[in-house]
Amino acid sequence: MDKFLAAAIAEAKKGYDEGGIPIGSVIVHNGKIIGRGHNRRVQNGSAILHGEMDAFENAGRQAASVYQECTLYTTLSPCPMCSGTILLYGIPKVIIGENRTFLGEEALLTSRGVTVEVVDSSECYDLMQQFIREKPALWNEDIGV
């Protein structure tokens, strides 16, 4: 498995262990993780801290030229909010662990020139399915249902 997807999965597991939603993300620039995060909506009482948003927050303020050279790894297909942030900062490539549990805005990203690769990781899928079985109401809240 790709070491950066493995890092995103480790973030997802952290979120699960903290009682949150197990979605993780890392942002990679020139072969180095510059931001990592996991969904912290539950932990922080946040409306917006999805895994990708947490990774952006933890990457800190970066020049547009840096983000335009990054790859974002996420364990689950990015929602409209996270996809909008990917587009806003010009991330050119997104690697997705799985999109069977939730199909986000992949078509929007590709229509705007972002390279999207879906790995279809059984580890990502199984973790999400376990979480949804355990906490279906929390999952529905996270995706706005």
Side-chain angles (χ1 to χ4, degrees):
M1 173 186 298
D2 180 288
K3 69 180 179 179
F4 298 123
L5 182 58
I9 292 170
E11 286 292 327
K13 289 177 179 177
K14 263 191 220 178
Y16 180 83
D17 291 343
E18 294 169 356
I21 298 151
I23 302 167
S25 182
V26 297
I27 300 170
V28 177
H29 181 256
N30 291 336
K32 179 177 180 253
I33 295 173
I34 63 167
R36 64 176 66 232
H38 54 275
N39 187 305
R40 293 181 197 255
R41 290 187 66 251
V42 172
Q43 300 91 315
N44 290 14
S46 171
I48 62 168
L49 273 183
H50 283 185
E52 299 91 336
M53 301 300 278
D54 193 40
F56 275 110
E57 182 68 17
N58 291 325
R61 186 174 168 196
Q62 300 289 332
S65 61
V66 171
Y67 282 126
Q68 291 166 3
E69 297 174 341
C70 288
T71 298
L72 183 141
Y73 290 76
T74 182
T75 58
L76 188 65
S77 187
C79 76
M81 174 180 64
C82 297
S83 295
T85 305
I86 289 164
L87 293 173
L88 178 67
Y89 289 109
I91 301 286
K93 186 172 184 179
V94 176
I95 308 293
I96 298 168
E98 67 104 349
N99 64 2
R100 288 182 283 159
T101 300
F102 176 82
L103 179 59
E105 297 297 325
E106 296 172 30
L108 171 64
L109 291 171
T110 57
S111 77
R112 298 281 295 274
V114 177
T115 300
V116 174
E117 180 183 324
V118 180
V119 176
D120 198 23
S121 159
S122 58
E123 189 172 7
C124 292
Y125 179 77
D126 293 345
L127 183 58
M128 285 306 302
Q129 295 309 302
Q130 177 182 343
F131 168 75
I132 291 167
R133 279 192 306 275
E134 294 170 357
K135 299 180 180 178
L138 184 54
W139 168 241
N140 287 336
E141 174 192 320
D142 195 61
I143 58 172
V145 175

